[in-house]
Amino acid sequence: MGESKPVKNIKDMSHTEFRELLETLVNEQLFKSHERLAALLVNNNSREVLESEFLEFHGDYEDLGFWLETYTEDPIQGLDPHISLAKKLKRQREYIQANRKTTLEERISRRMGIYLKSDPIPQKKIVELSSGEFRKLLHTLTTQDLFAVRDKLAALLSQNTSIKDLDLAFREFFVAYELLELVLEDYHYDPDEGLEISTEFAEELDQVEEHLESGSRTYSLEEVFNELKGE
């Protein structure tokens, strides 16, 4: 792998860069996949059809995570504790922190399909869920706050909204994403499970895992994926 530029932290972005990031976030493919998956559930489609769309949904969820992984600040820090949204976010953050079992590095590696030694594979495998359990999980995912919060953020971006208000909306978006992430934390899902992996690709994955466990991340995950794919 060649030398890469470090990922710019969201808090270090200019106002223009921040607006551009928000535009990217609200137009991520996850939100289109969500609409399709929700419609398939309402129409009581077969498990095979649902699994096919969930594959897209899960991949798009991981893509959204790539954009947010450098934001490590507490999203409720600095908020006026008396405003109603701050109170809501505080409750949600307390719930997330009380129930989360993984570290940021462990979650980043999971998005690459790698479990660090400190992060045991969850016992619940999505592919082994009964049809009823699978549909229940999809219903939980498609009714998460993130999708309503995304629509709210998109509406604000279409108006002449101040950076201060956009910052508040982003914090709400980030916490909503963490809640979606938390739902999936106890589930193991590998769309490539059972497929044969070439020796060369397996060695590349081992190198990436060693790199992550050493604590010396100098590559963005998108760049790592591109390197592994040979782009």
Side-chain angles (χ1 to χ4, degrees), residues 8 14 17 34 68 76 82 84 86 98 102 122 134 151 154-155 164 190 211 217-218:
K8 190 166 188 176
S14 67
E17 290 172 326
H34 163 257
L68 298 172
I76 65 173
H82 297 99
S84 58
T102 57
F134 183 59
D151 292 342
K164 180 179 179 181
D190 180 4
H211 181 75
R217 278 182 72 237
T218 57

Side-chain angles (χ1 to χ4, degrees), residues 155-168:
L156 289 174
L157 284 167
S158 68
Q159 305 163 8
N160 189 25
T161 306
S162 69
I163 286 295
K164 180 179 179 181
D165 288 340
L166 288 176
D167 176 70
L168 181 60

Side-chain angles (χ1 to χ4, degrees), residues 154-188:
L156 289 174
L157 284 167
S158 68
Q159 305 163 8
N160 189 25
T161 306
S162 69
I163 286 295
K164 180 179 179 181
D165 288 340
L166 288 176
D167 176 70
L168 181 60
F170 167 73
R171 295 175 193 231
E172 184 179 16
F173 182 94
F174 184 82
V175 172
Y177 165 77
E178 287 190 311
L179 287 169
L180 175 66
E181 190 176 52
L182 190 63
V183 172
L184 286 165
E185 186 180 53
D186 288 334
Y187 293 90
H188 170 67

Side-chain angles (χ1 to χ4, degrees), residues 117-151:
K117 290 183 174 65
S118 60
D119 180 17
I121 297 176
Q123 295 301 305
K124 299 178 185 176
K125 288 191 174 186
I126 289 180
V127 295
E128 295 178 355
L129 295 178
S130 68
S131 293
E133 291 170 331
F134 183 59
R135 288 178 183 273
K136 183 177 180 181
L137 172 61
L138 296 190
H139 176 75
T140 299
L141 292 171
T142 56
T143 55
Q144 286 294 296
D145 281 355
L146 177 64
F147 304 105
V149 171
R150 175 268 171 196
D151 292 342

